Amino acid sequence: MAHLSASVYTSHVPAIGAALDLGKSAEPYWQPLFKGYEYSKQWLKDNTPDVIFLVYNDHATAFSLDIIPTFAIGCAAEFQPADEGWGPRPVPMVKGHPELASHIAHSVIQQDFDLTIVNKMDVDHGLTVPLSLMCGQPASWPCPVIPFAVNVVQYPVPSGKRCFQLGQAIQRAIKSFDEPLNVQIWGTGGMSHQLQGPRAGLINKEFDARFMDLLIHQPEQAAAISHIDYVRDAGSEGIELVMWLIARGAMADVNGGPPVELMHRFYHVPASNTAVGHAILKNS
Ligand code: DHB
Ligand code: FE
């Protein structure tokens, strides 16, 4: 059977992708940020899974106000990097895993979560920047990736609690796949940031530290944070953090298993308008 070995959490700021693509990662502004991912890149090399289930949000790139899926699972064999206005990022095409993705869609829908099945989709910085942070600039990504898009752009967006429960359902789905695959789940987006309006530029280090503490040690409490609290404390785009709760809900300790192990934790401000948070948790 397939098993879920670890979860990775990271912000997805588009300027990080641009810094890498334009050869600026060694500049003083970016150097401390990329340093925080050195451990992670080596860890991923040493612990390359067979498949990454990557929870991210589309930023009105593949979807628009015409169609707004709350949860969308990418079941295609491949996904191209999207053109977000400056041409597609010069990063590898993303290979999917249609068999595992279809199985997860089937299992999770049977567990009463309504997913949109997507067989054709370009993937934006929400997905490619986390891959770049964790893998650097390889000729191809180290394994297949199942894109799982969450609507955190247009209200109503799903609650943290529902995302956490969805993670639990995804974990059951992975465990019931009849092939011995090693799967990682990544939760991306966040941390505190606001891109528009009078509070544009908002960062809340205290909220971010507390969120990471709760996420790691008391995830049910992190899952209880309401939309209004995210908006008030973490800014309008801080709501992206609900995606971290999908990954956290899939870990063994919250599904009757042994405690998880914290492999790495990192926090850095600034990166463009966003506080960057990152953690790796391992199932024992
Ligand atoms: C920024 C952050 C985001 O999460 C995003 O999707 C776009 C821009 C930023 O900080 O610039
Ligand atoms: Fe974003």
Side-chain angles (χ1 to χ4, degrees):
M1 290 304 198
H3 76 284
L4 198 137
S5 54
S7 51
V8 172
Y9 308 84
T10 179
S11 308
H12 69 208
V13 190
I16 294 174
L20 274 171
D21 301 343
L22 301 172
K24 295 182 175 198
S25 56
E27 288 185 359
Y29 180 87
W30 290 112
Q31 212 270 337
L33 182 276
F34 288 107
K35 204 165 175 335
Y37 285 80
E38 269 168 23
Y39 169 89
S40 314
K41 287 201 285 187
Q42 189 57 48
W43 175 86
L44 187 63
K45 279 200 180 114
D46 297 339
N47 297 275
T48 307
D50 297 308
V51 186
I52 295 168
F53 188 90
L54 205 157
V55 181
Y56 77 108
N57 71 290
D58 177 79
H59 299 75
T61 305
F63 305 120
S64 70
L65 293 182
D66 290 350
I67 298 178
I68 308 172
T70 303
F71 300 117
I73 184 162
C75 294
E78 50 182 71
F79 305 89
Q80 298 297 336
D83 183 349
E84 297 179 63
W86 298 270
R89 288 192 61 211
V91 293
M93 171 264 278
V94 175
K95 286 203 181 93
H97 198 298
E99 297 79 16
L100 180 61
S102 314
H103 168 82
I104 292 174
H106 182 91
S107 168
V108 167
I109 290 170
Q110 287 297 315
Q111 294 177 68
D112 304 330
F113 283 91
D114 305 316
L115 305 185
T116 299
I117 291 158
V118 181
N119 292 318
K120 187 171 181 348
M121 167 168 78
D122 290 348
V123 285
D124 74 10
H125 70 271
L127 184 130
T128 61
V129 167
L131 283 172
S132 296
L133 278 167
M134 292 296 295
C135 308
Q137 296 171 291
S140 57
W141 301 121
C143 67
V145 174
I146 298 174
F148 190 87
V150 180
N151 168 40
V152 288
V153 168
Q154 177 64 40
Y155 282 80
V157 304
S159 68
K161 183 173 158 215
R162 183 148 180 84
C163 287
F164 189 73
Q165 290 170 346
L166 172 59
Q168 295 180 306
I170 290 167
Q171 178 269 151
R172 288 190 284 272
I174 290 168
K175 261 189 6 198
S176 64
F177 186 64
D178 195 11
E179 249 184 73
L181 296 179
N182 173 352
V183 183
Q184 285 178 9
I185 186 164
W186 293 14
T188 66
M191 297 200 78
S192 60
H193 64 303
Q194 170 144 348
L195 301 178
Q196 68 265 301
R199 297 201 308 162
L202 178 145
I203 301 282
N204 185 341
K205 290 184 182 174
E206 291 73 32
F207 173 89
D208 291 337
R210 185 169 155 268
F211 181 86
M212 280 178 86
D213 287 345
L214 289 179
L215 181 90
I216 294 162
H217 302 293
Q218 292 164 290
E220 281 92 353
Q221 280 194 37
I225 298 172
S226 68
H227 287 154
I228 194 69
D229 285 337
Y230 281 109
V231 175
R232 186 187 296 119
D233 296 339
S236 52
E237 276 65 50
I239 190 68
E240 289 182 344
L241 284 169
V242 296
M243 296 184 289
W244 292 32
L245 293 162
I246 297 181
R248 188 64 182 91
M251 293 303 284
D253 62 333
V254 293
N255 292 287
V260 292
E261 202 179 331
L262 176 65
M263 307 306 292
H264 187 52
R265 175 173 171 166
F266 174 68
Y267 183 74
H268 177 75
V269 177
S272 185
N273 304 291
T274 306
V276 169
H278 171 43
I280 301 176
L281 293 178
K282 192 167 97 48
N283 280 334
S284 37

mmCIF file of all heavy atoms in Angstrom, residues 12 14 57 59 125 189 193 195 237 240, ligand 2:
data_model
loop_
_atom_site.group_PDB
_atom_site.id
_atom_site.type_symbol
_atom_site.label_atom_id
_atom_site.label_comp_id
_atom_site.label_asym_id
_atom_site.label_seq_id
_atom_site.Cartn_x
_atom_site.Cartn_y
_atom_site.Cartn_z
ATOM 1 N N HIS A 12 4.860 30.939 -0.974
ATOM 2 C CA HIS A 12 5.019 30.778 -2.437
ATOM 3 C C HIS A 12 5.231 32.091 -3.202
ATOM 4 O O HIS A 12 4.888 32.183 -4.382
ATOM 5 C CB HIS A 12 3.807 30.021 -2.996
ATOM 6 C CG HIS A 12 2.516 30.793 -2.949
ATOM 7 N ND1 HIS A 12 1.294 30.184 -2.857
ATOM 8 C CD2 HIS A 12 2.245 32.128 -2.996
ATOM 9 C CE1 HIS A 12 0.348 31.104 -2.832
ATOM 10 N NE2 HIS A 12 0.894 32.293 -2.926
ATOM 11 N N PRO A 14 5.789 35.017 -5.576
ATOM 12 C CA PRO A 14 6.248 34.979 -6.976
ATOM 13 C C PRO A 14 7.634 35.589 -7.181
ATOM 14 O O PRO A 14 8.404 35.121 -8.037
ATOM 15 C CB PRO A 14 5.190 35.767 -7.742
ATOM 16 C CG PRO A 14 4.241 36.323 -6.748
ATOM 17 C CD PRO A 14 4.480 35.674 -5.438
ATOM 18 N N ASN A 57 -2.677 27.227 -4.153
ATOM 19 C CA ASN A 57 -3.803 27.943 -4.750
ATOM 20 C C ASN A 57 -3.426 28.570 -6.072
ATOM 21 O O ASN A 57 -2.305 29.047 -6.268
ATOM 22 C CB ASN A 57 -4.397 28.991 -3.803
ATOM 23 C CG ASN A 57 -3.512 30.195 -3.598
ATOM 24 O OD1 ASN A 57 -2.471 30.111 -2.969
ATOM 25 N ND2 ASN A 57 -3.927 31.334 -4.144
ATOM 26 N N HIS A 59 -3.960 31.575 -8.702
ATOM 27 C CA HIS A 59 -4.208 33.006 -8.507
ATOM 28 C C HIS A 59 -4.904 33.580 -9.741
ATOM 29 O O HIS A 59 -4.327 34.408 -10.452
ATOM 30 C CB HIS A 59 -2.899 33.744 -8.244
ATOM 31 C CG HIS A 59 -2.174 33.297 -7.012
ATOM 32 N ND1 HIS A 59 -1.477 32.118 -6.940
ATOM 33 C CD2 HIS A 59 -2.054 33.868 -5.794
ATOM 34 C CE1 HIS A 59 -0.940 31.991 -5.732
ATOM 35 N NE2 HIS A 59 -1.279 33.040 -5.019
ATOM 36 N N HIS A 125 2.554 30.306 -9.986
ATOM 37 C CA HIS A 125 3.626 30.380 -8.981
ATOM 38 C C HIS A 125 3.259 29.677 -7.678
ATOM 39 O O HIS A 125 4.129 29.257 -6.928
ATOM 40 C CB HIS A 125 3.999 31.846 -8.715
ATOM 41 C CG HIS A 125 2.945 32.633 -7.987
ATOM 42 N ND1 HIS A 125 1.937 33.325 -8.625
ATOM 43 C CD2 HIS A 125 2.725 32.828 -6.659
ATOM 44 C CE1 HIS A 125 1.155 33.921 -7.736
ATOM 45 N NE2 HIS A 125 1.610 33.628 -6.532
ATOM 46 N N GLY A 189 1.613 28.418 0.462
ATOM 47 C CA GLY A 189 0.954 29.722 0.585
ATOM 48 C C GLY A 189 1.320 30.396 1.904
ATOM 49 O O GLY A 189 2.189 29.920 2.632
ATOM 50 N N HIS A 193 0.297 38.243 5.023
ATOM 51 C CA HIS A 193 0.524 39.265 3.991
ATOM 52 C C HIS A 193 -0.804 39.817 3.490
ATOM 53 O O HIS A 193 -1.821 39.148 3.542
ATOM 54 C CB HIS A 193 1.400 38.782 2.832
ATOM 55 C CG HIS A 193 0.878 37.658 1.970
ATOM 56 N ND1 HIS A 193 0.511 36.423 2.434
ATOM 57 C CD2 HIS A 193 0.716 37.583 0.619
ATOM 58 C CE1 HIS A 193 0.147 35.643 1.430
ATOM 59 N NE2 HIS A 193 0.251 36.327 0.310
ATOM 60 N N LEU A 195 -1.998 42.212 0.061
ATOM 61 C CA LEU A 195 -1.478 42.791 -1.182
ATOM 62 C C LEU A 195 -2.232 44.032 -1.646
ATOM 63 O O LEU A 195 -1.813 44.673 -2.591
ATOM 64 C CB LEU A 195 -1.486 41.737 -2.297
ATOM 65 C CG LEU A 195 -0.664 40.476 -2.013
ATOM 66 C CD1 LEU A 195 -0.796 39.484 -3.162
ATOM 67 C CD2 LEU A 195 0.802 40.801 -1.770
ATOM 68 N N GLU A 237 -4.468 38.132 2.512
ATOM 69 C CA GLU A 237 -3.896 36.958 1.839
ATOM 70 C C GLU A 237 -3.350 35.915 2.837
ATOM 71 O O GLU A 237 -2.931 34.829 2.439
ATOM 72 C CB GLU A 237 -2.796 37.372 0.858
ATOM 73 C CG GLU A 237 -3.317 37.796 -0.512
ATOM 74 C CD GLU A 237 -4.175 39.049 -0.486
ATOM 75 O OE1 GLU A 237 -3.730 40.061 0.107
ATOM 76 O OE2 GLU A 237 -5.288 39.033 -1.026
ATOM 77 N N GLU A 240 -4.356 32.167 2.905
ATOM 78 C CA GLU A 240 -3.678 31.058 2.204
ATOM 79 C C GLU A 240 -3.212 29.981 3.182
ATOM 80 O O GLU A 240 -3.000 28.832 2.793
ATOM 81 C CB GLU A 240 -2.474 31.597 1.402
ATOM 82 C CG GLU A 240 -2.882 32.410 0.189
ATOM 83 C CD GLU A 240 -1.701 32.915 -0.638
ATOM 84 O OE1 GLU A 240 -0.541 32.912 -0.152
ATOM 85 O OE2 GLU A 240 -1.925 33.334 -1.774
HETATM 86 FE FE FE B 2 -0.438 33.837 -3.140
#
